[in-house]
Amino acid sequence: MKKKVAQKVLGLSASVLLAGSFSLANAETIKIAIAGPQTGDVAQYGDMQVIGAEMAVEQINAAGGVNGDKLEAIRYDDACEPKQAVAVANKIVNDGIKFVVGHLCSGSTQPASDVYEDEGILVITPASTSPEITQRGYTMIFRTIGLDSHQGPTAGRFIAETIKPSNVAVIHDKQQYGEGIATAVKKTLEEKGVNVALFEGVNKGDKDFSPLIAKLQKEKIDFVYYGGYHPELGQMLRQASEKGFDAKFMGPEGVGNKDISQIAGEASEGLLVTLPPAFDQRPENQDLVKAFKAKSQDPSGAFVMTSYTAVKVIADAIAGTDSQETDAIQDYLRSNTFTTPMGKISFDDKGDLKGFDFEVYTWHADGSKSTVN
């Protein structure tokens, strides 16, 4: 019997729910919640999620919808905060929505997915990379991005085999995502015989990294890996440059945002980042890229195509089952292959993508990136 954990959520702040761009009057619309940060320090990632998901809704509707019904995207803001994510999840339950694209931050996705699993709501995260999310035996959680258990070793091998530093510091933000991937990098480096001289956490929201930089200088660190998001790393890069600390820095997809260049300026030049492949550069996606650019939207963000794909596979599964019953749809998702802007994809029994690979890029001060040769 299903455990009822959803509660009537009263008095939610206006930031929790933002009406979607495709609010259709038709009562027969298939509603998809787009849940992620639309306010807060990482709202830029939420923007990627929204433009990708809403473009998929728009294009699917223009092609006739799904089984004669239109899709409707409804935005919910969790500000990348776990407690607000649970409030959002309960609001989605009370709004009677069966499908969610989200959440974005791993620390929000994990507690929210407890609610969705109990209530039989199907959720596809386009951005949460923590392996723990899909290791709990849940049937309703999927993702259209890889895992930190793959991303961390990708970074660690690159550092050990290409950079070959003498003394490495692995820093993280003490959050589920940041500490998780930092731990995976540290493990890979140690297996490769690289000296990890420092493994240390900083606090989310910190702005003064002078003591940390002094410690890095004292330890003669020549390479720094940071697990976390761009606001803290941007400050760290800028302050390191100001203090003459010239070690190489690297981070995960959570730092691959143009805002890091606005924060760090020239100090962001040469930052190494692991990111999903540049799906916007693939020849088969150029018509889709033009559709984004016609709206003055940037299709190159790390979570744009993963969010588009999340909507598309939900729509394909509804069409394939001729049903909106999430039990049938989750089974269909695990049993089929889907053609998407990410290429042909399929899911394993846990809901993770099969064969997803992260790639290493060099970040530039103008906010662009280039593939590492």
Side-chain angles (χ1 to χ4, degrees):
M1 185 174 178
K2 232 171 18 176
K3 181 175 65 178
K4 295 291 182 182
V5 300
Q7 302 173 5
K8 186 74 174 176
V9 180
L10 300 176
L12 287 177
S13 66
S15 66
V16 173
L17 172 61
L18 299 176
S21 299
F22 297 98
S23 182
L24 304 175
N26 182 359
E28 298 301 318
T29 59
I30 301 167
K31 295 179 174 61
I32 299 177
I34 313 301
Q38 290 163 40
T39 58
D41 288 342
V42 295
Q44 299 84 355
Y45 297 120
D47 292 343
M48 297 176 192
Q49 180 184 16
V50 166
I51 70 168
E54 290 187 349
M55 179 63 80
V57 168
E58 179 181 314
Q59 293 198 335
I60 291 167
N61 285 344
V66 183
N67 297 339
D69 293 327
K70 299 291 187 181
L71 301 180
E72 178 181 359
I74 304 175
R75 304 181 197 177
Y76 293 80
D77 178 22
D78 70 6
C80 197
E81 294 291 341
K83 289 183 180 178
Q84 188 155 312
V86 172
V88 161
N90 280 301
K91 182 72 170 73
I92 288 168
V93 170
N94 291 326
D95 287 348
I97 298 175
K98 294 183 178 182
F99 307 102
V100 179
V101 173
H103 294 227
L104 193 139
C105 300
S106 293
S108 294
T109 300
Q110 184 144 340
S113 64
D114 293 338
V115 177
Y116 300 135
E117 184 73 14
D118 287 336
E119 295 298 326
I121 293 170
L122 189 130
V123 55
I124 302 180
T125 172
S128 296
T129 52
S130 172
E132 296 174 18
I133 291 168
T134 48
Q135 290 178 346
R136 295 167 293 163
Y138 286 3
T139 61
M140 292 293 159
I141 179 74
F142 294 79
R143 66 177 120 208
T144 51
I145 197 165
L147 283 73
D148 289 337
S149 52
H150 299 151
Q151 184 176 196
T154 296
R157 288 191 297 269
F158 181 85
I159 295 166
E161 296 168 6
T162 303
I163 304 299
K164 301 177 182 177
S166 299
N167 283 323
V168 176
V170 179
I171 311 298
H172 59 82
D173 64 359
K174 303 180 185 176
Q175 305 295 302
Q176 180 178 3
Y177 163 67
E179 186 168 359
I181 194 165
T183 300
V185 170
K186 176 176 180 286
K187 181 175 183 290
T188 302
L189 289 172
E190 290 174 339
E191 289 172 350
K192 292 282 187 179
V194 176
N195 180 41
V196 179
L198 195 66
F199 184 76
E200 191 164 310
V202 299
N203 294 316
K204 180 183 176 184
D206 278 356
K207 291 182 169 52
D208 181 9
F209 295 99
S210 299
L212 173 63
I213 293 166
K215 191 171 186 178
L216 296 173
Q217 290 174 314
K218 182 179 179 182
E219 295 288 336
K220 298 182 179 178
I221 298 297
D222 58 347
F223 193 95
V224 179
Y225 183 88
Y226 179 73
Y229 292 99
H230 69 277
E232 290 78 21
L233 182 58
Q235 294 282 358
M236 202 180 296
L237 287 169
R238 183 175 57 78
Q239 293 170 34
S241 177
E242 290 170 353
K243 295 181 182 300
F245 178 58
D246 60 357
K248 193 81 169 172
F249 281 76
M250 186 176 193
E253 92 288 353
V255 307
N257 184 303
K258 291 181 179 180
D259 277 21
I260 198 168
S261 296
Q262 294 181 9
I263 297 168
E266 288 299 321
S268 64
E269 181 66 39
L271 170 69
L272 294 168
V273 185
T274 46
L275 290 165
F279 299 115
D280 62 301
Q281 298 299 312
R282 294 184 175 179
E284 63 270 26
N285 289 334
Q286 291 316 295
D287 286 344
L288 177 55
V289 167
K290 289 176 184 175
F292 281 114
K293 290 184 176 179
K295 294 183 165 215
S296 299
Q297 294 174 339
D298 182 2
S300 69
F303 308 128
V304 174
M305 297 300 187
T306 61
S307 298
Y308 187 107
T309 293
V311 172
K312 187 175 187 303
V313 297
I314 289 172
D316 287 351
I318 293 170
T321 59
D322 195 19
S323 169
Q324 294 181 39
E325 294 302 317
T326 55
D327 281 338
I329 288 168
Q330 63 86 13
D331 184 63
Y332 188 90
L333 288 173
R334 287 182 169 86
S335 306
N336 288 274
T337 298
F338 302 87
T339 300
T340 77
M342 296 170 59
K344 289 188 180 296
I345 65 168
S346 57
F347 299 95
D348 65 18
D349 289 343
K350 293 180 180 179
D352 292 322
L353 285 177
K354 296 178 181 178
F356 186 96
D357 293 318
F358 288 91
E359 297 180 355
V360 179
Y361 291 86
T362 299
W363 199 261
H364 302 295
D366 64 0
S368 65
K369 65 182 185 289
S370 58
T371 304
V372 174
N373 295 323

